[in-house]
Amino acid sequence: MLLPWFGAHNFYLGFTAKAVLQMLLCLLTFGFAGIWGFAEGFIIICSATGSKWHRDALGRELRD
């Protein structure tokens, strides 16, 4: 949640392509696209066990 504008959560979870896209969009829109990263980070934190948001790039379940 500290660096959603740069797609840090996606780098951490292994979604490198999506993280690079978020970072580029953020830089090109002067931070406006950071809303996407912030919302996605919030969804990941609030997701329930077993949902698609509660998995990393390899499909492993995230631990709380």
Side-chain angles (χ1 to χ4, degrees), residues 23-56:
M23 189 173 10
L24 289 174
L25 281 174
C26 185
L27 292 172
L28 293 173
T29 62
F30 301 105
F32 183 71
I35 295 168
W36 170 26
F38 184 77
E40 194 173 59
F42 186 75
I43 290 169
I44 290 169
I45 288 174
C46 295
S47 64
T49 303
S51 70
K52 78 170 195 158
W53 292 101
H54 209 259
R55 299 187 181 278
D56 67 2

Side-chain angles (χ1 to χ4, degrees), residues 18 21 27 52-53 58-59 63:
K18 186 166 46 168
L21 177 65
L27 292 172
K52 78 170 195 158
W53 292 101
L58 298 176
R63 291 185 279 158

